[in-house]
Amino acid sequence: MKIPSPAHARTSAREQFVATWTVFRLVNLRQLTRRRRRAALTLAGIAAAVSLVVAITVVNAAVRGTVRDTAVGLAGVAQLEARPFGAPSLAPAAIRRTNSAPGVGTAVPSTQQITRMQHGGAATRVLVAGMPPSIAALFPNGFGDATAAVVDPAAGSVVLSPHLAETLGAGAGDAVTVATPTGTRRLFVGAVLPNGVLSSVNGGDLALTGLAYSQRLFDRPGKVDRLYITPARGQSVEALQRQLRRTLYGKAIVGDPGASAAPFEHTFDGIATTTQQIRAVALLVALFLVLNTMAMSLAERRADLALLVTGGTQRGPIVAAFVAEAALVGLAGGALGTVIGFLLAHRLVEQAGAVYESVLPITSAGAVHLTARQALLGVLSGAAVAMAGAAFVARRVVRLTPIEALAPAAPYAVSAQSRGPRSGLLALGGLVATACAALVVAFAPVGSHPELLGLALMLTLAGSLLLLPFLVGALSAGSRRAWPQLLGVRGRLAADGLVRAPGRTTVAAGALGLTIALVVASASGLGSFRQEVNRAATTWFAAPLYVRANGEGLLASDQPLPVSLRRRLAAIEGVRAAYPIRAALLERRNQQVAILAFPIAQAARHGDQLTGDVPVRDQHLVAAVGRGQVVASRLTARRHRLHTGSILHVSVAGTDHRFRVAGTFNDLASTDAVYLEHSIYTRLSEDEDADRFALMLDSGANRAVVAARVQRFLDANGLPGTVATRGKMESYVLDLVNGLFSLAGGAQLAALLIAAMVVLNTMLTVTFERRRELGLQRMLGMTGRQQAGTVVLEAVAMSAVGAALAVLLGLVLGALMTIGIENQLAWHVSFHPAIGETVAAVLVAIAIGAAAACYPSWLATRAPLMELLRVE
C-alpha cells in the first residue's frame, strides 16, 4: 500500500480548496446575490429561531444567577456560611458554638426578610437584610459614601441599593414604608449604595438595616438566618469547615456561601425544563426552513451542477461550496438572532421574575447580561442549523447523474409512489423511536431526572421526522382524491402540486405540522394537568374563608402572622373557629422539605375538615396524624421508597425525628412534603408563625358579610393579611400553575412564525418554478384570479396536510407530556385531549397557509404572458 507524502496531501488539500472556492464564486455566490429575497427569508427564519434560543438562555441564566448572587453577594469576603438545619432560623446554640469555635476569625450574623416597600405611588417586594456593624469585616473596601450609614445605621433607617432607589424614586432623607407582621412601619433612607456593591443581590432589590433593628421590626427577637464566617489568620478553610461541621452537627449546615442556593437551583431547573426543550424545537423548525430553501435553490441550479460534474469537478467541493453558502447565511442569521434575542430577553426577564418569585427566594430577576459564551452559542447554532440542512440536501442532489440533473423536472419532484423500501425502513425507524420515547417516559424516573425527559422528547421528535415522508405521502395522496371532487379543476391542480414534489411538500407540511403539533401537545398535556390541579385544589381548600398572610408564595409567606391571632379572629362575629396553618420550608442534606403543619386532628374533633388530603371521614388516618404520624406526598414516597408504615426521617429545629408514614397525598411541589399536626410541629420547632388561617363560619352566616368584617379587623389593626374565599384560594393556585408555563406561549408563537416562513418560501418557489406552466394555463383561458386561487388552494392543501399531521402528532406528544407530568409529580393525571384548542390550531394552520400564499399568488398574475412563455 502506497502512503501519500505530506507534500502530496498538502497539494491535494490546496486543490480541494481551490475547487471549492471556484464553485462557490461561480455558482453559489452568484445565485445568492440573485435570489436576495429568498436569502433574506432564510436569514430571517434562522434569526427568529436563534433569537428564541438566546432569549430563553439569557433569561434562565438571569433568574438562576439571581438565586446564586443572592446567596453569595451578602457574604462578601466570607469563605464559609452557617445556615439553618431543619428550622426557619439558626438555633441560638449554633451561634454560640460558632463564635467560640477555635479558628474562627469573624462570624457575622444576618437576617434576611422579604417584604413590600413603598415610596409615594411606587411599591415593590424587596429583600431587607439586617446586618451588624461587623459587616465591615465582610466588605473591607466599604460602601463609598454609604459606609457610615451601613456600618453604624441610625435607628429606623434603611440603606437602599441603586436599582431599588431608582425603582421607588427615593433618595437619602426620604421616607419609605415597609410591611411587617405587626403592620406598616415608616423608615427613612439613610443612604443609597454605590453601583457595583451588592448590586446583583435579589436582582437589585435590596435594602440594608441594622441587625437588632431588623429583628425588632419584623418581630423576630434573637433570630438569625445566616452566619458569614471568615477564618482566623493562618487557619485553613477546609480544616475550619470540617471542625465546624463536627461542632454544629444537627444544629446548622456549614458550607460555602453559594451552597445555600443549591436546593433552589434544583427547583428552578425542574421548572425551567419546559422552556429549555423549546430551544431545540425552534432550531428544528429552522432546520426545516433551511432544508426547504436549499432544496429549492439546488433544484434551480441543476443544470450548473450537471455541467460541473461533467467537466470533472469532484462532488466534495460541490457539497463544501453549498455548505459554505449556508454557513454564510447561518452566521448572519445567528448574529442577527443573537442581537434580537438579547433585546427580547430584556422584555421577558421581568415576566420570568414574576413567574418564579412564588417558588424562589427572590423578588425579581437580575440584570440581563449577554456573555461571550451565550453570544457564541447563538451565532454557532444558526450556522450549525444552516450547514446541517445544506449538507443533507447537497449530498442527495450531487448523487444524481448528469442526465438526471439536466432533466426538466426538479430532482426532488419524483413520483409520490416511488417511496420504495427505504421509505418503509424510515417509517419503521420512526415507530421504534416513538416506542422508545414512550417506554422512557412511562418507566424511567423522568421526574427526578430532567435529562431523561429531554431524551424522551428528542426520541419522539426523531421518530416524527422519520415518519414524516410516509405520513405526508399518504395524506397527500388522499388529498389528491378529495380536492378535485370538492373544487373541480383548481382543486386538481392544487392537489397535483403536492404529489408532484413530495420532498418539498414533506418539508413545508412537516415544518408547519410539527409546530402546530407542539401547540396541540401543550394544550392537551398542560390542559390535562390544569384539570387535575383544578380537581385537586377543591380538596386542598375545604374552609369557606381564609386569612392569607401578605406575600404568600407557593408554600410559605414573606410576612407570617402570629399563631396567637387565632383567638382574636375566632372572636369576630360570624366566625366559629380559626385554625392556623404553617408551611415551613426546611433544608436537610441539600434537599428541601416542606412541612405542612395543619391542626387536622384538632379540627376533626370539632367536625371541621381543613384539607381533603386527610378527610375527616377517614378516622383512622386522622387519628394517626393526631398521634404524630405524617402523610407524605406521593413524590416523597417515591423518592424515598416509602409506604404506609415506613419510617421517614425529618429534621425539625436541628433535631432528626422519626415519623411513621400514615398515608400519601397529591402535591404540586417538586420538593419533599409531609402533613404534620400543627401542635406537634409547634412543640418541636417552637415556630409560632402562621402563613394563613382557615376560618369556619357559624351556621347561616353570610360569607361575604363575614369576609368584609374580618378584612376591616385586619386593616384596623395594621395586620398584613388578606381575606380570601375558598374559590379565590383555588384560583390562586391555578394562576401560579399557569404562570409557570406562561413563557412557553411566546416560544410557540415564534415557532409558528418560522413555520409560516417555510410555507411562504415554498409557495414563492412554486410560483417561479411554474411560470411557463402558468403562461400555458393563461393561454388556455384561465384568468389571473383563477390562477391566484390555485396557488392559494395549493398552500391551503399543504397546510391541511400539515394540520392533519399536527393533530396526530400533537395528541401523541400531549399524551407523553401528560405521562411526564404524572411521573414528575408521582400522581395520576388523566389525559384529556384539548378539542377546542386542537380545532383552533387546525384553523390557524390553514390560515397560515392562505396568508403565506397571498404574495406568491399576486406574483403569479402580475407578469405579462409573453414573459411567462419565454422562461426556460
Side-chain angles (χ1 to χ4, degrees):
M1 178 178 178
K2 185 177 179 180
I3 302 176
S5 65
H8 176 76
R10 287 195 297 270
T11 302
S12 177
R14 185 163 51 249
E15 291 175 350
Q16 291 286 330
F17 175 78
V18 171
T20 300
W21 169 248
T22 302
V23 175
F24 179 79
R25 179 172 54 86
L26 296 179
V27 179
N28 299 84
L29 192 59
R30 183 178 301 175
Q31 188 75 6
L32 187 63
T33 55
R34 184 183 302 171
R35 301 293 189 188
R36 290 188 295 270
R37 283 181 294 185
R38 175 181 295 161
L41 188 64
T42 307
L43 187 147
I46 295 174
V50 171
S51 66
L52 189 61
V53 172
V54 172
I56 291 176
T57 302
V58 171
V59 168
N60 284 350
V63 177
R64 202 175 194 273
T66 299
V67 176
R68 175 159 290 274
D69 288 344
T70 301
V72 176
L74 286 170
V77 298
Q79 296 167 282
L80 292 175
E81 172 192 81
R83 60 186 187 274
F85 175 74
S89 57
L90 280 169
I95 301 174
R96 290 194 301 270
R97 292 181 184 182
T98 302
N99 288 326
S100 60
V104 173
T106 57
V108 181
S110 169
T111 61
Q112 298 176 18
Q113 179 72 52
I114 292 178
T115 186
R116 186 173 182 81
M117 183 174 290
Q118 183 172 357
H119 172 67
T124 186
R125 293 174 72 224
V126 304
L127 172 64
V128 178
M131 306 293 293
S134 55
I135 186 178
L138 302 180
F139 299 91
N141 295 327
F143 303 92
D145 294 338
T147 300
V150 173
V151 176
D152 187 20
S157 68
V158 65
V159 178
L160 306 183
S161 64
H163 179 266
L164 179 58
E166 181 181 357
T167 300
L168 296 177
D174 291 338
V176 297
T177 58
V178 295
T180 74
T182 56
T184 301
R185 295 292 180 267
R186 189 169 180 266
L187 309 176
F188 72 90
V189 179
V192 176
L193 291 171
N195 285 315
V197 180
L198 302 176
S199 296
S200 60
V201 174
N202 193 43
D205 290 338
L206 173 71
L208 298 178
T209 188
L211 175 64
Y213 181 75
S214 172
Q215 292 170 332
R216 293 196 305 272
L217 182 67
F218 296 107
D219 196 23
R220 302 183 63 196
K223 301 295 184 182
V224 171
D225 299 315
R226 294 287 189 275
L227 277 177
Y228 296 113
I229 304 166
T230 58
R233 185 181 300 274
Q235 175 67 49
S236 166
V237 176
E238 292 76 13
L240 180 59
Q241 182 176 358
R242 289 193 298 269
Q243 178 184 334
L244 288 176
R245 284 179 173 176
R246 290 193 300 267
T247 302
L248 303 179
Y249 180 78
K251 300 296 182 183
I253 301 172
V254 180
D256 65 88
S260 60
F264 295 102
E265 289 175 335
H266 176 74
T267 300
F268 170 77
D269 291 340
I271 298 172
T273 300
T274 302
T275 56
Q276 290 169 351
Q277 299 304 328
I278 292 174
R279 297 181 301 184
V281 174
L283 291 177
L284 184 61
V285 177
L287 178 62
F288 274 91
L289 177 61
V290 175
L291 285 171
N292 192 17
T293 301
M294 296 309 297
M296 309 306 177
S297 182
L298 287 169
E300 294 171 350
R301 307 172 198 177
R302 57 186 181 273
D304 294 335
L305 291 174
L307 292 175
L308 288 172
V309 174
T310 304
T313 304
Q314 297 181 358
R315 302 182 187 276
I318 297 176
V319 174
F322 282 93
V323 172
E325 176 189 348
L328 183 63
V329 176
L331 286 172
L336 178 62
T338 300
V339 175
I340 295 174
F342 180 61
L343 298 176
L344 182 61
H346 280 278
R347 307 278 301 192
L348 293 178
V349 69
E350 292 185 5
Q351 179 185 355
V355 167
Y356 292 119
E357 69 179 15
S358 61
V359 292
L360 300 177
I362 60 174
T363 66
S364 62
V368 172
H369 300 287
L370 183 66
T371 65
R373 181 177 180 181
Q374 292 166 345
L376 190 63
L377 169 67
V379 175
L380 293 184
S381 61
V385 167
M387 293 170 67
F392 177 78
V393 175
R395 288 181 62 85
R396 292 190 60 187
V397 175
V398 299
R399 291 195 188 104
L400 296 172
T401 63
I403 297 299
E404 291 173 327
L406 289 171
Y412 52 85
V414 295
S415 170
Q417 282 76 26
S418 61
R419 291 190 293 269
R422 186 178 179 183
S423 180
L425 290 176
L426 290 177
L428 179 61
L431 290 174
V432 171
T434 304
C436 290
L439 291 175
V440 169
V441 175
F443 298 105
V446 295
S448 53
H449 296 280
E451 63 276 5
L452 292 178
L453 188 60
L455 173 64
L457 176 61
M458 297 310 298
L459 283 173
T460 304
L461 293 176
S464 304
L465 292 177
L466 293 174
L467 286 169
L468 267 181
F470 175 79
L471 294 175
V472 172
L475 292 171
S476 298
S479 66
R480 191 179 189 185
R481 291 189 293 270
W483 280 82
Q485 298 177 5
L486 295 174
L487 300 169
V489 176
R490 283 183 294 177
R492 179 179 296 278
L493 291 174
D496 286 345
L498 300 184
V499 181
R500 185 187 308 177
R504 179 172 58 211
T505 304
T506 298
V507 171
L512 185 59
L514 179 63
T515 309
I516 299 295
L518 291 175
V519 178
V520 174
S522 299
S524 298
L526 299 182
S528 300
F529 176 55
R530 290 189 187 99
Q531 286 193 37
E532 186 62 28
V533 171
N534 191 24
R535 186 200 62 78
T538 61
T539 65
W540 290 336
F541 304 103
L545 288 178
Y546 288 86
V547 172
R548 287 179 50 201
N550 286 351
E552 185 179 10
L554 190 61
L555 289 174
S557 62
D558 299 342
Q559 300 290 322
L561 297 166
V563 171
S564 58
L565 185 61
R566 62 186 301 182
R567 296 185 181 86
R568 300 175 66 186
L569 290 173
I572 298 175
E573 183 181 355
V575 178
R576 178 170 54 82
Y579 297 103
I581 296 172
R582 180 64 162 159
L585 193 59
L586 311 178
E587 183 180 351
R588 182 179 186 270
R589 297 176 183 174
N590 261 359
Q591 295 292 327
Q592 292 174 328
V593 181
I595 295 182
L596 308 177
F598 283 51
I600 295 173
Q602 178 188 359
R605 286 193 292 269
H606 297 87
D608 295 329
Q609 179 170 294
L610 298 182
T611 173
D613 291 333
V614 188
V616 173
R617 64 177 180 276
D618 192 341
Q619 298 180 3
H620 176 74
L621 184 60
V622 171
V625 172
R627 293 193 301 270
Q629 298 185 23
V630 297
V631 180
S633 70
R634 297 188 187 279
L635 181 62
T636 304
R638 187 183 67 184
R639 282 178 177 172
H640 302 282
R641 299 179 181 178
L642 303 174
H643 54 82
T644 301
S646 297
I647 299 299
L648 175 64
H649 293 262
V650 179
S651 296
V652 182
T655 303
D656 199 6
H657 295 275
R658 293 161 48 92
F659 297 98
R660 189 174 298 277
V661 177
T664 58
F665 71 99
N666 293 336
D667 190 44
L668 280 177
S670 59
T671 62
D672 291 340
V674 296
Y675 277 109
L676 181 64
E677 183 68 17
H678 186 273
S679 60
I680 295 175
Y681 167 76
T682 302
R683 174 171 53 82
L684 296 177
S685 66
E686 298 182 359
D687 184 356
E688 296 291 341
D689 292 328
D691 296 298
R692 59 181 178 265
F693 289 86
L695 305 184
M696 300 298 175
L697 308 185
D698 293 329
S699 177
N702 186 294
R703 186 173 61 180
V705 173
V706 175
R709 196 175 292 148
V710 174
Q711 188 64 60
R712 284 196 300 270
F713 165 79
L714 296 173
D715 296 340
N717 290 273
L719 296 170
T722 305
V723 180
T725 63
R726 176 181 178 181
K728 285 287 187 180
M729 295 298 294
E730 294 171 3
S731 63
Y732 169 70
V733 173
L734 293 176
D735 289 342
L736 286 177
V737 172
N738 292 334
L740 294 176
F741 297 104
S742 62
L743 295 178
Q748 291 170 352
L749 289 177
L752 283 175
L753 176 62
I754 302 171
M757 293 180 183
V758 176
V759 178
L760 174 60
N761 191 30
T762 300
M763 298 316 300
L764 280 172
T765 303
V766 166
T767 302
F768 285 109
E769 186 182 85
R770 301 179 187 169
R771 300 186 77 190
R772 182 176 177 84
E773 180 181 325
L774 293 172
L776 293 174
Q777 291 174 356
R778 187 90 58 84
M779 287 184 62
L780 294 175
M782 286 190 70
T783 64
R785 180 175 296 181
Q786 289 174 328
Q787 288 183 321
T790 301
V791 175
V792 174
L793 281 176
E794 183 173 346
V796 170
M798 190 179 297
S799 300
V801 170
L805 182 69
V807 173
L808 177 63
L809 177 60
L811 292 178
V812 172
L813 286 174
L816 293 179
M817 184 181 295
T818 303
I819 295 173
I821 294 173
E822 183 179 77
N823 272 4
Q824 189 167 354
L825 295 176
W827 44 288
H828 179 67
V829 179
S830 301
F831 177 63
H832 299 281
I835 304 300
E837 287 85 351
T838 301
V839 173
V842 170
L843 295 178
V844 167
I846 295 175
I848 287 175
C854 289
Y855 179 61
S857 65
W858 176 72
L859 290 177
T861 60
R862 67 188 295 260
L865 178 60
M866 294 305 297
E867 183 180 335
L868 291 173
L869 294 176
R870 279 199 302 266
V871 176
E872 298 184 8

